[in-house]
Amino acid sequence: MPECPYRDPFKEARRKSPVLETEFDGEPVAMLVGHKAVRTAARDHATFSSDAPFRVPIPREEDVRTVRQYPLEVDPPVHAEYRRLIDPFFRRPLEPAYVQRIENLIEELLVDALKRDSIEIVRQFAIPLQSRALTYLLNMPESEAEIWITWGTHVFRDESGVSKGAEMEAYTNSLFDQAESDPGDDFFSALVKARFDGRPLTREEMQGYANIAFAGGRDTIINSVATAFGLLADQPSALIAMRANPKLIITASEELFRFASPVTHLARICPVDTSVHGVDVPAGNLVSLNWAAANFDDSVFDDPEQFQIDRKPNPHIAFGKGVHNCPGAAHARVIIRGLFKKLTEMISAITIVSERRKVEKEADYERVNAYHELTVKLESSASSPDCK
Amino acid sequence: MAKVTFVTTDGTEVSISDANGSLMEIATANGVDEIEGACGGVCACCTCHVKIRPEWLGKVGKAEEAEQDMLDEEDGTDERSRLGCQVELTDDLDGLVVDVVPL
Ligand code: HEM
Ligand code: FES
């Protein structure tokens, strides 16, 4: 089967300049599209600030949530204290038992998938995997995932057009009520018990942490998982190579994060008038850090539009860069490595039955990012059918 | 096969004999504190930062471009800094001593 290269929508723009002048929500945005330009800006919080509630995501999110997200939407020095409070949870994926638990979950989902003629990966595989895995990260009962599964691919902007933002805020608020009356060892109880510079967190801050844990940790994982299936179906040689050499699972996972770049871009606000590579950005206006564009910069990556599972070095910035770099990366890595591992062990072929790509249609570009729907047939690598 | 010693921030020395692979792989396989190797060795995370003892700098050699770019953007790096995942422990490096940099 021909290996279909992805088309990087920022290629032309990046050849001309590291910054693309575009617009979102009817406002000008200076979008950084070169690897070096994005990296450097991500570390310069004085010039490019995250102290901008609702505005770090693009489009802006006043319409879908009522709380500032922590630690995303604050700058150093307070950022470090906000971040410290949640780090122990985000380090849980480094424990071997956690890795095992994720692998068992993936195996269970694949066993179930193999019983069907075909499976719709987004809703029948990726969403349950993401939601159940998140209960491990947040140390919640696995049964809670049943509620989270009903929120769709993106809590705020599912394709149905209905935002689950208000429902989610009411739900997390009730979790904090419960944690206050009967604290346990979960993420929500930890926030209730936490001390920020000696004081308890306000309920609004707690809600801000919960908000990004659910919203930020959701479509990113779902899109990575669906893209992994799509790529392996298009490029069967990749699955075969990983099976022959399991060391490739690690490099292939990093390549997946680069190639999928599930978070296209995020914003920073300029507190004062700033010249950004020759583009004038007035105080209060936005600069976009385009991680996806940076990850296809051919001054850093050879043949960036090819998915090369043995790519090394691979200094992608799919998880951001600098102090805000993604704390969920360890969890995401355990999931994707576990998925590749179990696919090599259990599946001999993935064939696409039907697909509907998700396209980000913006003023100056269209970017294909993952799938609304991806139905595949999976073939078991066990030579004879299971005869239990 | 060679011997390498990691000196962690509290002064603990962890020596591993008959080691091979990259410094990151050796450190993570032997539970050396503060070397995480999050990205598995592709220059995408900087959680394997070490400082080479001056007497070994010549033999270990300099970082390639992708690695140097990462180091240039990390806090607390200097001319002794390398990413552990990019340094293979060869026989010439038998006896190497490196300082671990906190995460
Ligand atoms: C493949 C999966 C993921 C990708 C590609 C991704 C991407 C990113 C990026 C690019 C940032 C940087 C934000 C910035 O610089 O403004 C970030 C931050 C963050 N991510 Fe992720 N993420 C993923 C998974 C997760 C998961 C599973 C969680 C939690 C459950 C999570 C929670 C967060 C949080 C809390 C921050 C803010 C960190 C801070 O500001 O210090 N992410 N993520
Ligand atoms: S292990 Fe990630 S950069 Fe070395």
Side-chain angles (χ1 to χ4, degrees):
Chain A
M1 197 189 273
E3 293 178 1
C4 164
Y6 167 82
R7 226 188 53 77
D8 164 28
F10 306 103
K11 192 155 64 179
E12 303 304 317
R14 198 172 39 239
R15 279 208 186 113
K16 288 187 217 139
S17 162
V19 48
L20 167 67
E21 290 181 75
T22 183
E23 60 176 79
F24 284 86
D25 300 315
E27 288 174 21
V29 172
M31 176 177 273
L32 298 174
V33 290
H35 195 268
K36 179 150 197 173
V38 176
R39 278 168 14 216
T40 317
R43 292 177 42 78
D44 181 1
H45 6 86
T47 314
F48 304 108
S49 167
S50 295
D51 184 5
F54 312 107
R55 300 198 68 188
V56 171
I58 303 176
R60 57 201 296 162
E61 292 188 338
E62 285 95 337
D63 57 329
V64 289
R65 59 176 153 108
T66 65
V67 285
R68 179 198 287 252
Q69 288 183 337
Y70 292 96
L72 183 74
E73 293 172 331
V74 286
D75 276 336
V78 287
H79 170 268
E81 179 73 356
Y82 279 110
R83 174 91 176 219
R84 184 185 64 78
L85 298 183
I86 52 168
D87 260 349
F89 280 86
F90 287 96
R91 296 187 65 77
R92 291 164 51 81
L94 303 177
E95 293 159 19
Y98 191 96
V99 176
Q100 188 61 51
R101 210 168 161 209
I102 296 274
E103 287 179 8
N104 293 348
L105 168 60
I106 292 168
E107 180 167 330
E108 181 193 323
L109 290 166
L110 284 176
V111 166
D112 174 64
L114 280 169
K115 292 185 188 137
R116 310 174 190 220
D117 283 344
S118 67
I119 174 159
E120 201 284 286
I121 293 297
V122 176
R123 285 180 196 265
Q124 295 174 332
F125 192 93
I127 293 182
L129 170 57
Q130 181 276 333
S131 297
R132 290 172 66 183
L134 189 62
T135 65
Y136 307 169
L137 186 73
L138 304 182
N139 204 20
M140 291 287 285
E142 198 160 347
S143 55
E144 283 306 287
E146 283 164 33
I147 301 171
W148 309 350
I149 287 170
T150 64
W151 294 340
T153 49
H154 194 301
V155 187
F156 298 146
R157 305 191 194 278
D158 195 35
E159 59 168 324
S160 61
V162 185
S163 170
K164 297 281 167 52
E167 187 179 323
M168 185 182 87
E169 282 188 23
Y171 166 76
T172 54
N173 203 35
S174 74
L175 291 181
F176 289 119
D177 285 342
Q178 206 180 313
E180 264 166 1
S181 58
D182 181 19
D185 296 323
D186 57 90
F187 183 74
F188 306 93
S189 301
L191 289 169
V192 163
K193 294 181 217 161
R195 290 292 173 273
F196 181 95
D197 274 347
R199 64 157 174 92
L201 292 170
T202 64
R203 181 57 72 90
E204 202 201 332
E205 286 168 328
M206 294 180 205
Q207 285 280 70
Y209 279 108
N211 200 276
I212 187 172
F214 281 116
R218 190 169 184 86
D219 59 317
T220 50
I221 297 283
I222 295 167
N223 292 350
S224 301
V225 169
T227 304
F229 275 94
L231 283 168
L232 294 183
D234 284 344
Q235 212 164 299
S237 59
L239 191 58
I240 296 166
M242 283 192 276
R243 188 175 302 124
N245 178 8
K247 275 194 152 178
L248 288 171
I249 289 172
I250 303 271
T251 48
S253 302
E254 295 307 312
E255 178 67 344
L256 175 78
F257 294 126
R258 179 190 75 86
F259 205 80
S261 291
V263 178
T264 303
H265 65 148
L266 289 167
R268 297 291 188 263
I269 204 158
C270 288
V272 296
D273 292 355
T274 307
S275 169
V276 181
H277 300 275
V279 174
D280 288 328
V281 178
N285 279 25
L286 296 184
V287 170
S288 143
L289 309 184
N290 192 322
W291 319 109
N295 286 339
F296 285 78
D297 187 334
D298 63 6
S299 69
V300 177
F301 304 97
D302 293 334
D303 281 331
E305 290 170 308
Q306 296 293 332
F307 177 66
Q308 291 172 0
I309 60 167
D310 58 353
R311 192 181 289 278
K312 192 177 176 179
N314 188 349
H316 70 79
I317 48 176
F319 294 114
K321 178 92 189 169
V323 296
H324 289 281
N325 73 2
C326 182
H331 174 75
R333 286 180 162 120
V334 169
I335 291 177
I336 295 301
R337 290 172 186 175
L339 177 65
F340 283 157
K341 177 170 176 216
K342 287 293 160 190
L343 287 172
T344 59
E345 288 171 9
M346 297 172 65
I347 305 295
S348 63
I350 303 170
T351 323
I352 295 180
V353 177
S354 65
E355 62 174 32
R356 208 153 49 81
R357 303 298 313 243
K358 215 185 273 182
V359 185
E360 296 164 0
K361 287 197 171 105
E362 310 299 352
D364 292 294
Y365 66 89
E366 288 191 6
R367 174 173 192 248
V368 178
N369 184 358
Y371 298 83
H372 285 301
E373 179 246 301
L374 173 66
T375 303
V376 302
K377 264 184 192 318
L378 298 180
E379 220 166 279
S380 165
S381 49
S383 46
S384 57
D386 193 354
C387 47
K388 262 185 246 155
Chain B
M1 292 288 179
K3 179 176 161 186
V4 56
T5 301
F6 295 91
V7 183
T8 57
T9 33
D10 62 2
T12 313
E13 294 190 9
V14 185
S15 292
I16 297 129
S17 309
D18 295 336
N20 65 1
S22 73
L23 296 185
M24 181 279 283
E25 288 165 336
I26 296 165
T28 51
N30 291 280
V32 175
D33 274 354
E34 308 268 14
I35 294 200
E36 191 180 306
C39 76
V42 302
C43 263
C45 72
C46 257
T47 64
C48 60
H49 180 194
V50 294
K51 290 191 183 181
I52 310 291
R53 286 281 164 101
E55 60 274 24
W56 287 97
L57 275 173
K59 271 195 177 163
V60 171
K62 289 208 179 324
E64 307 248 333
E65 194 182 345
E67 180 189 346
Q68 193 58 49
D69 283 347
M70 288 292 282
L71 289 169
D72 287 346
E73 288 161 5
E74 260 330 270
D75 295 327
T77 54
D78 61 27
E79 62 298 334
R80 296 203 287 127
S81 294
R82 291 292 310 265
L83 291 178
C85 65
Q86 304 303 306
V87 179
E88 284 293 315
L89 190 69
T90 54
D91 289 342
D92 303 0
L93 297 180
D94 188 22
L96 177 67
V97 183
V98 303
D99 294 300
V100 175
V101 180
L103 289 171

